[in-house]
């Protein structure tokens, strides 16, 4: 139940299931990584946008959580991000940066609405069946 991979940028990511689902709890859950990816993407956007506005928060962190459907595939039905910024930051400019990230720039959050296509191979042979 444990998987690891190396990203194109050379970083290892390890995932595992909880013990009650047959895993050994040696890595993050894929759904946890999905929420972290959304937070990281929007955080990078917001800092970049604020810097272009010549604003530099003295502190910035986020609290992110998601609501999942009860039935399989138990997808996220909502993601809530609480942005916590400190510094000399006009509220209207922070709101603008958050809106731009949410509505225009954050490719991860926009990808949650993506149609996902898949392919497969077994023992080195590409599968022909459409999934």
């Amino acid at each position: 139940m444990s998987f690891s991979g190396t990203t194109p940028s050379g970083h290892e990511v390890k995932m595992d299931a909880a013990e009650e689902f047959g895993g050994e709890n040696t890595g993050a859950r894929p759904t946890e990584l999905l929420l972290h990816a959304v937070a990281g993407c929007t955080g990078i956007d917001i800092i970049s946008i604020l810097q272009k506005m010549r604003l530099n928060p003295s502190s910035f962190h986020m609290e992110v959580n998601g609501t999942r459907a009860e039935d399989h595939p138990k997808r996220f039905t909502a993601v809530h991000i609480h942005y916590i910024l400190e510094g000399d930051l006009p509220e209207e400019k922070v709101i603008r940066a958050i809106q731009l990230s949410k509505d225009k720039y954050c490719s991860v959050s926009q990808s949650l609405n993506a149609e996902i296509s898949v392919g497969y191979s077994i023992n080195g042979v590409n599968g022909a069946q459409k999934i």
Side-chain angles (χ1 to χ4, degrees):
M1 301 297 277
S2 176
F3 295 88
S4 65
T6 304
T7 67
S9 58
H11 300 279
E12 184 177 3
V13 177
K14 187 160 186 172
M15 295 173 276
D16 197 1
E19 291 172 348
E20 65 259 28
F21 298 110
E24 296 180 359
N25 195 31
T26 61
R29 311 298 176 262
T31 51
E32 293 172 337
L33 292 174
L34 183 63
L35 290 178
H36 277 264
V38 171
C41 180
T42 189
I44 290 168
D45 288 344
I46 290 167
I47 291 299
S48 176
I49 293 164
L50 290 174
Q51 286 176 340
K52 288 177 184 169
M53 295 176 179
R54 301 192 189 284
L55 298 170
N56 292 301
S58 59
S59 174
F60 176 40
H61 68 276
M62 294 165 278
E63 295 171 357
V64 60
N65 59 62
T67 303
R68 295 179 64 188
E70 291 188 24
D71 296 326
H72 286 287
K74 298 185 180 182
R75 70 178 189 86
F76 283 107
T77 57
V79 174
H80 177 74
I81 304 169
H82 182 82
Y83 300 97
I84 302 158
L85 298 100
E86 293 182 11
D88 186 18
L89 305 166
E91 183 177 2
E92 68 277 358
K93 292 194 177 200
V94 171
I95 290 170
R96 180 69 178 145
I98 291 169
Q99 286 175 326
L100 283 169
S101 177
K102 178 181 174 285
D103 298 334
K104 185 174 182 180
Y105 292 114
C106 183
S107 58
V108 176
S109 63
Q110 294 297 318
S111 295
L112 291 176
N113 296 322
E115 180 178 326
I116 298 174
S117 62
V118 299
Y120 66 97
S121 61
I122 299 172
N123 298 323
V125 178
N126 287 336
Q129 183 175 342
K130 297 261 184 190
I131 300 175

